[in-house]
Amino acid sequence: MKQTALVTGATAGFGKAIAQRLVHDGYRVIATGRRRERLEALAAELGPDLLPFPLDMDDAAAVTALPGSLPEGWRDVDVLINNAGLALGMEKAQDADIANWQTMIATNVTGMVELTRVLLPGMVARDRGHVVTLGSTAGAYPYAGGNVYGATKAFVSQFTRNLRCDLLGHNVRVTNLEPGLCGGSEFSQVRLRDDAKAAAVYAGTKPLLPVDIAETVAWVLSLPRHVNINEIEMMPVCQAAGGLAVARGMKD
């Protein structure tokens, strides 16, 4: 019997690539996102093993109601891919738009934990399941303008570690995947709201791509059920963590 995976943020980028890969690997996939037309196009591409399910991660009532809102036969979710997330703005904290901060927290943290909470009891009851959450190297390495986005991804990292503690004794796995520089998605366009600036982020680089993330997810899921990959930090070879910064010539 095919396993059922739920992938959030499946309308583009990582989520779309992960959904495509999992259907190819024999999963049935519930693909969620806000843009219904994109989900329906994905279902037309992938066939009956892809269920389009419009969902706004900022809508707490819809997230809470999700398990009972799924069609019969799709309600036992074996794999949750917490992919939906975003970054908004690159301003330093003292200049940032508080609305951007609130949106990042609502999506990257609140929506993610609410969805995890409503699906975990079923996994525990069935004594099988896997939660894979998309964190970021921004959760480990600070940079100017990263402020709340980095903080939300640090939350993801600690949340998944604590989930493993709570799930000890159950055959439910938890993995935090932390990519670095990634192209081929809408991430920078959404963050910078300027196509030219977004393109400049990747100029002269060979970044990770959504297919690389999907490949990593597929590998993690393919391992024997007694093997838990706690965290994976991945970067393209053109990227490394920067050294400590020093400001010179400051006034006393």
Side-chain angles (χ1 to χ4, degrees):
M1 185 175 179
K2 292 185 176 183
Q3 292 191 71
T4 299
L6 189 150
V7 181
T8 65
T11 57
F14 297 173
K16 180 178 179 181
I18 293 168
Q20 290 168 323
R21 176 58 187 264
L22 294 186
V23 169
H24 178 269
D25 286 354
Y27 287 82
R28 300 191 314 159
V29 174
I30 304 162
T32 79
R34 290 178 296 176
R35 292 172 286 189
R36 179 186 296 271
E37 70 284 356
R38 292 198 179 190
L39 296 176
E40 291 175 349
L42 194 59
E45 172 194 336
L46 298 175
D49 282 336
L50 190 290
L51 174 68
F53 194 88
L55 179 69
D56 184 344
M57 294 296 291
D58 294 348
D59 185 341
V63 170
T64 300
L66 182 139
S69 302
L70 292 169
E72 289 289 344
W74 289 86
R75 295 179 180 176
D76 291 348
V77 175
D78 301 290
V79 175
L80 168 61
I81 309 293
N82 278 319
N83 166 71
L86 78 167
L88 294 171
M90 281 289 294
E91 298 83 6
K92 292 183 179 180
Q94 60 270 29
D95 302 315
D97 182 343
I98 192 69
N100 285 344
W101 284 8
Q102 291 167 338
T103 299
M104 287 186 281
I105 293 168
T107 304
N108 301 357
V109 175
T110 306
M112 182 271 295
V113 299
E114 288 173 346
L115 183 57
T116 302
R117 176 62 182 84
V118 299
L119 292 179
L120 268 184
M123 293 183 181
V124 170
R126 294 185 295 275
D127 199 32
R128 70 175 189 273
H130 200 152
V131 178
V132 179
T133 300
L134 269 294
S136 170
T137 55
Y141 307 109
Y143 58 88
N147 44 69
V148 167
Y149 174 67
T152 64
K153 294 305 183 178
F155 178 95
V156 167
S157 178
Q158 193 62 23
F159 178 63
T160 55
R161 290 173 184 154
N162 279 283
L163 281 183
R164 279 292 305 128
C165 292
D166 291 342
L167 292 166
L168 188 64
H170 301 282
N171 287 304
V172 179
R173 301 186 287 177
V174 183
T175 300
N176 180 30
L177 181 58
E178 299 175 317
L181 183 69
C182 292
S185 74
E186 299 174 344
F187 179 84
S188 290
Q189 286 93 331
V190 170
R191 183 174 208 172
L192 302 175
R193 296 174 176 148
D194 184 304
D195 288 348
K197 289 181 180 179
V201 172
Y202 309 103
T205 74
K206 188 172 183 179
L208 300 175
L209 295 172
V211 292
D212 301 319
I213 308 306
E215 173 73 20
T216 306
V217 169
W219 174 73
V220 166
L221 296 180
S222 73
L223 296 172
R225 69 188 303 218
H226 72 281
V227 178
N228 191 92
I229 302 299
N230 297 331
E231 294 179 340
I232 296 179
E233 179 183 292
M234 54 193 295
M235 295 181 180
V237 293
C238 66
Q239 185 183 33
L244 295 175
V246 176
R248 302 183 188 279
M250 292 181 64
K251 295 179 181 179
D252 291 337

